[in-house]
Amino acid sequence: MKHLLKLGGLTPQEILHFLDVADEYKRLHRAGQDPKDLQGRAVALVFAKHSTRTRASLEVGIYQMGGLGTYLSAHDLQTARGEPIQDTARVLGRYYDAIVCRTYKQTDLDALAQYSGVPVISGMTDYAHPLQVLTDLMTVREYKGRLTGLQAGFIGDGYNMANSLIAGCLAVGMRLTVACPRGYRPAADVLRLAQGYGDAFRLVSDPDEAARDADVLFTDVWVSMGMEREAERRRRDFTGYTVDAARLALAKPDCMVQHPLPAHRGEEIAPDVLEQHAAEIFDEAENRLHMGKAVLAVLLAGK
Ligand code: CP
């Protein structure tokens, strides 16, 4: 595998390998031994959208691995003044050993991968958030001890998190019910991929159906970055889709809750649910560090 642009198309073995490597980096970090697997390597961190976790975890992770991470705001690059992505890719590829990019269009990420000549890792696009979902799978396995056969639910927008959860959860043998309002369905190609998993996948509009008997419940914001002008309509359309205590009561008693953050309390998640599940949600946030290192190590250091 040269790039990590999305989870669709990865084998279960490739996904589980990322989880195993991340577990090992976490264990070593806890033991005070951070392997310098990126010694002398440089990674460009290109961001066209805001970020706390993705940027910070990668900057710290690359430092722990002995490499250099350079944050490059897409607003400061010449791309903001019209330089084509193909040219930017070819230039960055001559300086850096890998590029992490958070941008809007998946096709822009694909162009970066096509022209840069170095591994490209998605830091999130409108279509996918593979680093986050690999982290979520790591965290779920950490808590539950397994992935195969677990019942997962996602309640919210059929956007990047839903797309990546469908590809990731189904690949590792989980069952997944996605609940979203009409008009907010996941991407068509992802739904086609899900069809191959038979009744392990369900797409519904009733959020209670996604919560029922769940081992893990995922949610995400209703108004993602770049959608601010639609905020009012979205809040109206997603009314009734909050993960709250009554809905969580439909799940298994030991159901865990995962949220990629930032959370909007009172919208997609009730404040008491977030606080009661803070341990696993902030473990999920911590695991972004270990997973970021694992993905770089697999793509750059042959782990
Ligand atoms: N979950 C996530 O990607 O967080 P940031 O937007 O803060 O990077």
Side-chain angles (χ1 to χ4, degrees):
M1 185 195 324
K2 176 151 190 201
H3 308 289
L4 178 66
L5 307 177
K6 59 180 185 175
L7 295 185
L10 296 195
T11 66
Q13 292 74 21
E14 286 171 328
I15 292 176
L16 293 172
H17 182 61
F18 282 129
L19 272 56
D20 292 343
V21 175
D23 284 350
E24 181 64 0
Y25 274 111
K26 183 170 186 173
R27 188 186 69 73
L28 289 169
H29 183 65
R30 294 261 161 106
Q33 305 162 7
D34 290 320
K36 304 301 177 202
D37 293 322
L38 290 186
Q39 193 80 52
R41 316 293 286 277
V43 181
L45 305 171
V46 180
F47 282 75
K49 298 181 179 182
H50 294 279
S51 171
T52 296
R53 282 141 289 269
T54 306
R55 175 184 176 178
S57 64
L58 287 166
E59 285 197 20
V60 172
I62 293 164
Y63 169 77
Q64 290 175 358
M65 296 171 85
L68 170 76
T70 312
Y71 175 76
L72 299 167
S73 165
H75 306 292
D76 295 337
L77 294 174
Q78 295 285 12
T79 44
R81 297 177 59 249
E83 184 170 21
I85 289 170
Q86 294 90 323
D87 294 356
T88 306
R90 283 179 281 196
V91 171
L92 293 180
R94 287 169 187 244
Y95 304 150
Y96 291 96
D97 297 290
I99 302 169
V100 179
C101 179
R102 168 169 289 193
T103 190
Y104 291 89
K105 293 187 204 156
Q106 185 74 13
T107 49
D108 286 349
L109 193 73
D110 293 341
L112 206 51
Q114 185 183 344
Y115 287 94
S116 69
V118 296
V120 171
I121 298 165
S122 172
M124 192 180 83
T125 64
D126 293 349
Y127 172 75
H129 200 353
L131 271 179
Q132 183 64 54
V133 168
L134 287 173
T135 304
D136 294 355
L137 295 175
M138 172 189 179
T139 313
V140 171
R141 191 172 73 165
E142 202 169 73
Y143 272 77
K144 299 289 184 188
R146 67 187 171 104
L147 293 171
T148 307
L150 291 181
Q151 177 65 51
F154 173 84
I155 298 176
D157 193 4
Y159 189 57
N160 49 20
M161 277 300 295
N163 290 336
S164 293
L165 280 167
I166 291 169
C169 290
L170 295 176
V172 297
M174 295 170 71
R175 302 176 64 80
L176 176 67
T177 301
V178 168
C180 43
R182 282 179 219 293
Y184 295 93
R185 289 161 61 96
D189 67 314
V190 175
L191 292 178
R192 276 195 299 278
L193 179 143
Q195 278 175 358
Y197 292 88
D199 67 1
F201 176 74
R202 286 197 309 144
L203 178 64
V204 298
S205 54
D206 179 356
D208 285 348
E209 285 304 303
R212 206 175 303 285
D213 296 323
D215 294 291
V216 52
L217 206 44
F218 299 96
T219 187
D220 193 14
V221 295
W222 294 344
V223 184
S224 292
M225 287 180 277
M227 297 177 175
E228 289 76 10
R229 274 181 296 185
E230 304 169 24
E232 202 175 315
R233 174 170 60 77
R234 286 181 156 266
R235 291 196 179 99
R236 203 170 48 241
D237 292 347
F238 281 95
T239 298
Y241 279 76
T242 305
V243 175
D244 59 16
R247 184 151 289 141
L248 203 52
L250 299 169
K252 295 213 176 85
D254 62 348
C255 179
M256 62 187 291
V257 175
Q258 293 281 265
H259 192 309
L261 303 173
H264 293 75
R265 291 165 170 80
E267 292 190 13
E268 76 278 0
I269 189 163
D272 56 332
V273 168
L274 191 143
E275 291 308 327
Q276 280 154 17
H277 292 268
E280 63 228 33
I281 290 170
F282 289 98
D283 278 347
E284 175 190 13
E286 179 195 326
N287 285 342
R288 288 295 308 268
L289 171 68
H290 311 299
M291 184 54 72
K293 291 166 72 173
V295 169
L296 286 166
V298 169
L299 296 185
L300 282 185
K303 286 277 170 184

